[in-house]
Amino acid sequence: MTSSLTFTPPAIPSHDEPDWSQVTCIPVKGCDSPLVPTSLGPSCLKVYPAYARLGIPGAVNECLVRRAVYQRLLQAARALPEGLSLVVMDGWRPWRVQQYLFETLYQSLKTHDPSLCEAQLLARTREFVSLPSRDPDAPSPHLTGGAVDVTICDADGLLLEMGTLFDEATPESHADYFERHPPGVDTPQAAARDNRRLLYHVMTQAGFTNLPSEWWHFDFGDQLWAWYRGEPEALFGPAEMDSIESLWKRSLQ
């Protein structure tokens, strides 16, 4: 599906891949901001919990994010042209889901190319899935509630053309791919380029940073966000979804 844009957004700038050895050294402030559901938002914000719909073990049927992230998602959604909505496909991610995604991509890459050594396999896997970590000083971005996976749909709920599917682990998924490989005029790739540009700019103008290898992945407040913005510290460490047991324990203290 193509968009009905009457203008061409600016090009997506190229950024280096994150140096995870530096990213995970950024101090974590540990802001006590709660996780909130995105499914209660206005019509400009749609929610499609992709991993729960795929039946991935441990996935929750909701897209939870930190409150500050939710507010910025609304800002981005309201900046879209009339008739378009922001679609949230993933936010806070349980460690079990992070581990599943990492292991399945690692094994898929290993099967596809047995010549890859361990270091190459890890690097290729981390291009699209970060290491599963609950370490308070180096959590996986999605475990903090600061990372979100988003796209755009039209008024009929049809997703705009982005050039690849969500979570497609190919070079074409890099946000700037169509900037570096200019498509022909009036082609699906040209529409994908413009749609990626629109998504990138409404999200970054709302305060998010983008993971260069994934057009759909944006961060606010986690270590990845701090690294790309040059912030001295990250706002969010690991988060956990509240349970009825923890609620009872707090109420009885």
Side-chain angles (χ1 to χ4, degrees), residues 4 12 78 110 122 133 170 189 197-198 207 219 229 236:
S4 56
I12 297 173
R78 288 166 175 154
K110 186 175 182 179
L122 285 174
S133 173
T170 64
Q189 291 78 18
R197 289 178 177 181
L198 176 62
D219 299 272
R229 284 177 55 96
F236 306 137

Side-chain angles (χ1 to χ4, degrees), residues 2-205:
T2 59
S3 69
S4 56
L5 294 180
T6 57
F7 65 97
T8 301
I12 297 173
S14 294
H15 295 287
D16 292 334
E17 290 299 302
D19 183 337
W20 288 104
S21 65
Q22 295 183 21
V23 172
T24 54
C25 286
I26 296 174
V28 177
K29 181 180 180 181
C31 176
D32 188 22
S33 173
L35 292 171
V36 298
T38 55
S39 62
L40 298 178
S43 59
C44 62
L45 191 67
K46 309 288 187 184
V47 180
Y48 185 85
Y51 296 130
R53 302 294 175 88
L54 288 170
I56 290 178
V60 294
N61 196 29
E62 174 62 273
C63 291
L64 301 163
V65 296
R66 300 281 188 159
R67 183 184 295 272
V69 174
Y70 175 70
Q71 292 168 336
R72 284 163 175 78
L73 285 172
L74 289 178
Q75 180 181 337
R78 288 166 175 154
L80 289 170
E82 185 177 357
L84 300 181
S85 298
L86 194 67
V87 182
V88 183
M89 297 177 291
D90 193 33
W92 172 79
R93 186 182 294 169
W95 182 84
R96 181 185 176 191
V97 176
Q98 188 70 28
Q99 184 182 42
Y100 177 91
L101 295 174
F102 190 90
E103 290 178 351
T104 53
L105 179 55
Y106 178 94
Q107 290 300 326
S108 295
L109 291 168
K110 186 175 182 179
T111 301
H112 176 72
D113 189 353
S115 68
L116 294 174
C117 68
E118 180 67 15
Q120 291 172 319
L121 277 170
L122 285 174
R124 289 283 303 279
T125 305
R126 294 188 76 174
E127 185 179 354
F128 294 100
V129 183
S130 64
L131 281 172
S133 173
R134 289 177 286 196
D135 183 346
D137 296 323
S140 304
H142 275 284
L143 269 71
T144 70
V148 288
D149 296 329
V150 293
T151 189
I152 300 172
C153 74
D154 66 14
D156 293 327
L158 296 173
L159 299 180
L160 300 193
E161 176 63 63
M162 291 293 181
T164 69
L165 298 175
F166 165 59
D167 260 358
E168 192 169 320
T170 64
E172 289 82 0
S173 289
H174 286 234
D176 68 348
Y177 180 83
F178 295 117
E179 311 294 351
R180 293 181 288 106
H181 302 84
V185 178
D186 295 329
T187 62
Q189 291 78 18
R193 177 201 60 199
D194 293 349
N195 293 332
R196 287 188 188 190
R197 289 178 177 181
L198 176 62
L199 179 64
Y200 178 89
H201 287 292
V202 296
M203 291 295 287
T204 56
Q205 287 168 11

